[in-house]
Amino acid sequence: MSKEFIIQAIVSGVLMGLIYALVAVGLSLIFGLMEIVNFAHGEFLMWAMYASFWFWVLGLDPLFALPLVAALLGLAGLLVHYGIIRRLLTAPMLAQVCGTFGLAVAMRAAAQYLWTPDFRTITNPLIAGRVQIGPIFIGQPQLVAGAVCLLAFVLLWLFVTRTETGLALQATAQDRQAAAVMGIPTERMSALGWAIGLGCVGVAGTMLSTFFYVFPDVGASFAPLAFVAVALGGFGSILGSLVAGVLIGLVESLGGLLIDPSYKTLIVFGLYLAVVLVRPMGLFGRF
Amino acid sequence: MLLEVDKLEVAYGDYQVVWGVSLNVDAGESVALLGPNGSGKSTVVNTISGLIRAKAGAITFGGTSLVGQPTHARAPLGIAHVLERRRVFPHLTVLQNLQLGAWHPTAKAARAETLERVYRLFPRLGERSAQLARTLSGGEQQMLALGRGLMALPRLLMVDEPFLGLAPQVMEQMKGVFETLKGEGMAILFIEQNVRVALSMSSRGYVLESGRLAIHGPSQELLASPDLRRIFVGG
């Protein structure tokens, strides 16, 4: 195996991992705030990809549609919170699971009904082609996608750790009642968590749509990886999602190269099992 | 009257734990809410704070009805609740914990001054301002919990078991701080199992027994009351 292949696999693994990380951090944020697992996370990613695709059909390149899709998904987060989740907070856990799981099924079915099961692709996006750096080739869409996701991640991290609202968000996740008696509107913080979490999915989905097929089941191939990233990185840890997402991207692409591409998902889940056996709270976990 | 609780009834599902409890705290007054473990003390304050919904009864603060209002609406009115078991934000620094304590606009505007005041009351917090709250000792966490409550500039401070598990020295320091706050005219509601300590710091007391108000009156009278011994010691 030549050195070039390995470097190539590392670079594409990291770029893909950055997208996984951004999808995962939304999941982690929502779980950290209200201990609700969003089983429809992959479906929101799918809808974000469709949104990007339809904007492209209307003549708007994904790069320009990016803020629109992120805002739309953020809005969807608010709708989900106020329309569904708020009513489920005091419900039994099974009802909570069914709530977001039911949403996932409905969203997938709706996508099939509205847009057919066809695979769609965005052709000739503004950014296309490949760049060559020494012996390795990187797809430009992947490169830009990785960079945008990393940037979004940095912005999210700055927001959560450097702004007052971000600190209140953390406080709400760490002790909801203590935050409430101090006057922090915890309900609004949860809604904000959903908006930001799905906004991240909007960014990831838009970038993904520039080089990946868009179809109703596309979320099903990404959501499990996001779940693994959250558990691997540690529930509630933002940095953990980043490290775990990149790690998963790396393991996937190196495993695919060195062992067999058809085993790549198996290797990811194997790694996950190994980590949770040794460190059940995940790499950076607090729970 | 600053805080008025009238015929409060609280139930967890079908299981009622507070039966017709009435109590009040006047401006600048220190009052003790006493009772053995499981007598409903914390349930009463948690209901005042809106963490639990009342089944019946009225709660007013400075003439405003609190029933049905969300928990976070209380801090701006001037109620601070230092929860049982400290409940600091473990993964935030001491300074961040304190800053978040001053959340509503009035408190936020006075944040720098209040912070200085809290550091004067608890110099230890100033020394550890950059440390994560979870790395503090139990006593320091209790100081932080109280300091965080003070950041909201309360007119009424409700403290749930503030002396639990404290070393004697820290306990004396805490008592000193409460005396200072009383001197500044802050109303304090002590929720305590430690009868002697609580009554020594307050002018009046209420004693709960199995969710009902058993006795109440001036602290000196309560200390001499045979009922008090019966409720806490049994027999």
Side-chain angles (χ1 to χ4, degrees), chain A residues 184-198:
Chain A
I184 294 172
T186 51
E187 162 95 41
R188 238 174 289 162
M189 289 297 148
S190 299
L192 182 66
W194 273 92
I196 295 173
L198 291 193

Side-chain angles (χ1 to χ4, degrees), chain A residues 161 164-165 167-168 170-172 174-189 286, chain B residues 49 51 71-72 75-76 79 81 83 87-92 96-97 99-101 103-104 108 111 148:
Chain A
T161 59
E164 200 138 301
T165 310
L167 288 177
Q170 286 194 64
T172 305
Q174 287 172 31
D175 193 326
R176 199 176 184 81
Q177 291 192 330
V181 296
M182 286 159 49
I184 294 172
T186 51
E187 162 95 41
R188 238 174 289 162
M189 289 297 148
R286 296 164 170 177
Chain B
S49 269
L51 296 171
T71 299
H72 65 82
I79 302 180
H81 181 180
L83 297 164
R87 307 279 289 268
V88 294
F89 302 121
H91 309 289
L92 296 181
Q96 287 170 333
N97 266 275
Q99 283 174 332
L100 285 171
W103 181 263
H104 62 89
K108 211 172 272 191
R111 186 182 272 171
R148 189 177 63 180

Side-chain angles (χ1 to χ4, degrees), chain A residues 57-103:
Chain A
V57 170
L58 292 174
L60 201 59
D61 188 83
L63 219 48
F64 297 114
L66 181 66
L68 290 173
V69 178
L72 277 177
L73 265 284
L75 200 64
L78 291 181
L79 283 176
V80 171
H81 174 77
Y82 285 112
I84 301 172
I85 302 303
R86 201 170 56 149
R87 292 153 211 269
L88 290 175
L89 281 178
T90 51
M93 193 175 154
L94 189 63
Q96 297 181 347
V97 172
C98 290
T100 56
F101 190 76
L103 185 65

Side-chain angles (χ1 to χ4, degrees), chain A residues 243-254:
Chain A
V243 173
V246 171
L247 199 63
I248 289 170
L250 269 176
V251 167
E252 209 184 44
S253 87
L254 280 175

Side-chain angles (χ1 to χ4, degrees), chain A residues 27-247:
Chain A
L27 200 59
S28 180
L29 199 67
I30 291 164
F31 179 84
L33 272 169
M34 43 216 318
E35 301 200 359
I36 277 191
V37 178
N38 179 21
F39 286 105
H41 215 63
E43 278 61 36
F44 281 106
L45 183 74
M46 176 262 292
W47 274 47
M49 292 172 75
Y50 269 110
S52 167
F53 173 79
W54 291 114
F55 274 125
W56 172 78
V57 170
L58 292 174
L60 201 59
D61 188 83
L63 219 48
F64 297 114
L66 181 66
L68 290 173
V69 178
L72 277 177
L73 265 284
L75 200 64
L78 291 181
L79 283 176
V80 171
H81 174 77
Y82 285 112
I84 301 172
I85 302 303
R86 201 170 56 149
R87 292 153 211 269
L88 290 175
L89 281 178
T90 51
M93 193 175 154
L94 189 63
Q96 297 181 347
V97 172
C98 290
T100 56
F101 190 76
L103 185 65
V105 174
M107 287 175 70
R108 213 186 290 189
Q112 291 219 6
Y113 175 76
L114 292 171
W115 306 315
T116 76
D118 289 351
F119 281 48
R120 324 256 187 174
T121 44
I122 290 176
T123 47
N124 290 323
L126 212 58
I127 292 161
R130 301 188 296 180
V131 282
Q132 186 179 3
I133 302 169
I136 55 167
F137 292 91
I138 309 166
Q140 281 202 40
Q142 282 88 336
L143 191 63
V144 172
V148 167
C149 287
L150 184 62
L151 179 69
F153 215 100
V154 171
L155 289 177
L156 174 70
W157 188 79
L158 287 175
F159 169 73
V160 169
T161 59
R162 296 282 187 276
T163 71
E164 200 138 301
T165 310
L167 288 177
L169 208 61
Q170 286 194 64
T172 305
Q174 287 172 31
D175 193 326
R176 199 176 184 81
Q177 291 192 330
V181 296
M182 286 159 49
I184 294 172
T186 51
E187 162 95 41
R188 238 174 289 162
M189 289 297 148
S190 299
L192 182 66
W194 273 92
I196 295 173
L198 291 193
C200 289
V201 167
V203 173
T206 307
M207 298 324 290
L208 204 53
S209 72
T210 58
F211 63 90
F212 209 88
Y213 296 113
V214 183
F215 58 102
D217 283 339
V218 67
S221 48
F222 287 95
L225 294 175
F227 280 102
V228 171
V230 172
L232 193 60
F235 279 94
S237 167
I238 291 183
L239 195 64
S241 299
L242 179 64
V243 173
V246 171
L247 199 63

